[in-house]
Amino acid sequence: MLRTTASRVLDDSDRDDVLALLDTDPVANVFVASRVRTVGLNPARLGGQMWGFGPRGGLVSLCYAGANLVPVNAGPEAVHAFADRARKQGRRCSSIVGPADAVSLLWERLEPHWGRARAIRWAQPVMATTRKAPVPADPLVRRVRPDQFDKVLPACVSMFTEEVGISPNTGDGGALYRTRVAELIRIGRSYARIDDGRVVFKAEIGAVTPQACQIQGVWVDPHLRGRGHAVAGMAAVVEAALACFAPVVSLYVNDFNHSARAVYRKVGFREVDTFMSVLF
């Protein structure tokens, strides 16, 4: 067995090694890789720390420790080291999310110290596609303009509350969430169909690297569901994502959300991995 070091906090001098490791699985690691490519590894810019683990002189596993705790390529030894560091510093994250095997083991070690989670999503299929949808795209789905922020924000809040189980307006009154929504609009990664000021469908491309991108926040007005808006809307977003951002488009979804999984399959997504999330 290789002798390994304890986990350590990485910095910008580790950037090349970190990106090389993240690029070994660009779909699973798209969120963390997007953060590192955008802001680097300085904790002040990253919004957290990046922990590394591996043989002396090497790097085989990572854990992003920010608003989310995200293990990367983490086997049992790495999970043990990351759990030890997380336990010592106390819970600072709102969720643990990532590959199911690693998250399950990480939570097994942390639960006795952090207490019960608010919710656990044990199986979240990761889905991906590399092709335009085999169904017609909605031509009325377009990039959201900055002047449409006030129309789209309530739909975003509704989606978040429905998906996560709590409103993003708790705590800081929603300031951080509003900033994130506005930023995605500003950089052209928010898409919606808006009819007479009413958001019918919306989704965002939350993470982007040269290899992959990840769709998030898919939502249809509850009064308009069952009319095909999700399928046509997703087809439009996938087409835009492939054309503008990356050659692979991914997302992850709760295993119990059968209607959403059916929509994504119709659009051409296939399951490639399984995530797990622990929500606080």
Side-chain angles (χ1 to χ4, degrees), residues 207-261:
V208 174
T209 72
Q211 295 90 355
C213 62
Q214 185 180 84
I215 295 175
Q216 65 178 39
V218 180
W219 181 88
V220 174
D221 185 321
H223 298 98
L224 300 175
R225 293 176 184 176
R227 304 184 187 184
H229 290 300
V231 172
M234 282 297 293
V237 175
V238 167
E239 184 174 334
L242 291 171
C244 302
F245 297 109
V248 181
V249 184
S250 70
L251 53 81
Y252 63 98
V253 58
N254 293 318
D255 63 342
F256 54 79
N257 194 341
H258 299 292
S259 59
R261 293 172 69 182

Side-chain angles (χ1 to χ4, degrees), residues 21-22 24 28-29 32 50 60-64 70-75 78 82 99 102:
L21 181 53
L22 291 168
T24 61
N29 302 332
V32 178
M50 187 72 76
V60 298
S61 303
L62 305 168
C63 189
Y64 170 70
V70 187
V72 173
N73 197 45
F82 295 147

Side-chain angles (χ1 to χ4, degrees), residues 8-225:
R8 62 187 178 92
V9 179
L10 305 179
D11 58 32
D12 282 328
S13 67
D14 300 294
R15 186 176 185 274
D16 289 345
D17 289 339
V18 167
L19 287 176
L21 181 53
L22 291 168
D23 287 348
T24 61
D25 193 341
V27 171
N29 302 332
V30 62
F31 166 73
V32 178
S34 177
R35 292 288 298 160
V36 174
R37 287 182 181 276
T38 301
V39 300
L41 293 168
N42 181 289
R45 297 192 302 271
L46 187 62
Q49 295 178 338
M50 187 72 76
W51 304 336
F53 177 87
R56 296 185 184 279
L59 188 66
V60 298
S61 303
L62 305 168
C63 189
Y64 170 70
N68 309 302
L69 195 65
V70 187
V72 173
N73 197 45
E77 284 189 282
V79 168
H80 180 80
F82 295 147
D84 187 55
R85 183 176 287 273
R87 176 184 57 79
K88 289 177 180 177
Q89 75 168 22
R91 183 176 71 80
R92 302 178 183 179
C93 60
S94 60
S95 69
I96 307 172
V97 59
D101 289 347
V103 171
S104 178
L105 184 56
L106 191 56
W107 180 232
E108 179 182 310
R109 295 185 178 278
L110 287 174
E111 183 178 16
H113 308 283
W114 284 7
R116 294 182 61 184
R118 181 174 56 81
I120 299 178
R121 309 289 168 77
W122 293 100
Q124 297 174 301
V126 179
M127 307 181 77
T129 184
T130 59
R131 299 179 180 180
K132 290 174 60 175
V135 295
D138 186 344
L140 298 181
V141 171
R142 298 170 182 145
R143 275 183 171 159
V144 177
R145 303 188 309 268
D147 65 288
Q148 295 174 312
F149 171 81
D150 289 338
K151 293 183 176 67
V152 171
L153 180 63
C156 294
V157 171
S158 177
M159 177 282 306
F160 186 100
T161 304
E162 184 177 342
E163 173 66 20
V164 180
I166 59 172
S167 170
N169 294 329
T170 57
D172 65 354
L176 188 61
Y177 188 72
R178 289 195 299 272
T179 298
R180 177 59 174 164
V181 171
E183 173 67 6
L184 288 172
I185 293 173
R186 184 188 68 80
I187 60 179
R189 287 171 22 196
S190 176
Y191 291 82
R193 173 174 174 168
I194 303 175
D195 293 349
D196 297 323
R198 180 183 187 180
V199 176
V200 174
F201 164 90
K202 71 98 189 168
E204 296 85 40
I205 300 172
V208 174
T209 72
Q211 295 90 355
C213 62
Q214 185 180 84
I215 295 175
Q216 65 178 39
V218 180
W219 181 88
V220 174
D221 185 321
H223 298 98
L224 300 175
R225 293 176 184 176

